[in-house]
Amino acid sequence: GLLYRHIRSLVFSDNNFFAGTFNGVFHSTNYGTNWVYSSRGIANSIVTSLAVKGTKLFAGTWGGGVIVSPDNGTNWIETGPGLLGEHIEGMLVGGNNLFAGTEAGIFKSTNEGSTWASAGLVDTFISCLSRNENYLFAGTGYGVFRSQNNGNAWTLMNSGLTNPEVNCLVVNGTYIFAGTTDGVFVSTDNALNWTEVSSGLTNTY
């Protein structure tokens, strides 16, 4: 079962459901009814973000960089050089690219983590990453940054955000939702403008 319940990240792919916790990764193949501990070699890792590409599972950790499992969480190995920062709060697969958001900015790998290079946004703590068909989005303590050229350049998109500290981003069709310290905001124009949608929330943090 899911014994350690401080869950920091979730990801779903086909029939595989993964949970990143303060004590490694758990894996379910029946929508969470049963869980298997899938953390051989990373049992003490705090897993703060997850991403899936095919049968490969990428785990961003707090203090240990990015680690990868080639077999849906059975075994784990370290990724390659070039990634600055050890605290990985955001992981994202975009086409053939893998993105990691760290305390030093955003980094991109074109070879599934064998090597990493800066993705253009540096010296910024990245709290989350998301994407739609045309753009990449990064949540930070300064607000939402957007890239329309696969991470080569980023633009701050804060119009309408009352507090720019963004902790999570979710993209659903034409809607982008941002969880901030002032509540939930939504954009329907690819982050050009944001509107608060926090009515009914008793705690907007």
Side-chain angles (χ1 to χ4, degrees):
L2 191 56
L3 301 178
Y4 202 90
R5 297 180 180 175
H6 193 140
I7 298 168
R8 288 295 306 271
S9 52
L10 294 167
V11 70
F12 185 76
S13 177
D14 295 327
N15 291 322
N16 296 298
F17 196 21
F18 299 96
T21 77
F22 267 35
N23 195 26
V25 175
F26 289 79
H27 180 199
S28 174
T29 57
N30 54 14
Y31 299 95
T33 301
N34 303 102
W35 294 89
V36 175
Y37 193 51
S38 300
S39 301
R40 181 185 298 172
I42 60 164
N44 296 319
S45 295
I46 299 174
V47 177
T48 49
S49 53
L50 293 167
V52 174
K53 184 179 181 184
T55 60
K56 290 189 175 182
L57 177 64
F58 299 90
T61 71
W62 184 263
V66 176
I67 47 181
V68 58
S69 171
D71 47 18
N72 279 326
T74 301
N75 298 285
W76 293 88
I77 57 175
E78 294 182 0
T79 57
L83 182 68
L84 300 181
E86 295 183 340
H87 305 321
I88 318 297
E89 289 285 345
M91 293 289 304
L92 179 67
V93 172
N96 292 321
N97 298 312
L98 176 67
F99 295 89
T102 83
E103 74 272 26
I106 300 177
F107 294 82
K108 178 170 68 174
S109 175
T110 59
N111 50 23
E112 298 183 333
S114 294
T115 57
W116 296 87
S118 173
L121 187 58
V122 298
D123 298 326
T124 302
F125 195 110
I126 309 301
S127 57
C128 51
L129 294 170
S130 194
R131 67 183 293 264
N132 60 20
E133 291 183 359
N134 300 312
Y135 300 97
L136 302 177
F137 304 96
T140 76
Y142 304 106
V144 176
F145 286 83
R146 186 184 78 178
S147 174
Q148 60 185 28
N149 52 12
N150 213 23
N152 294 318
W154 297 83
T155 303
L156 189 60
M157 313 292 289
N158 279 356
S159 179
L161 289 180
T162 58
N163 189 321
E165 187 175 342
V166 176
N167 299 307
C168 55
L169 288 168
V170 175
V171 175
N172 183 16
T174 59
Y175 292 86
I176 307 166
F177 296 92
T180 80
T181 52
D182 271 357
V184 180
F185 289 76
V186 64
S187 174
T188 59
D189 53 12
N190 290 308
L192 286 174
N193 298 282
W194 295 92
T195 302
E196 186 175 1
V197 284
S198 298
S199 178
L201 290 179
T202 56
N203 185 343
T204 56
Y205 184 86

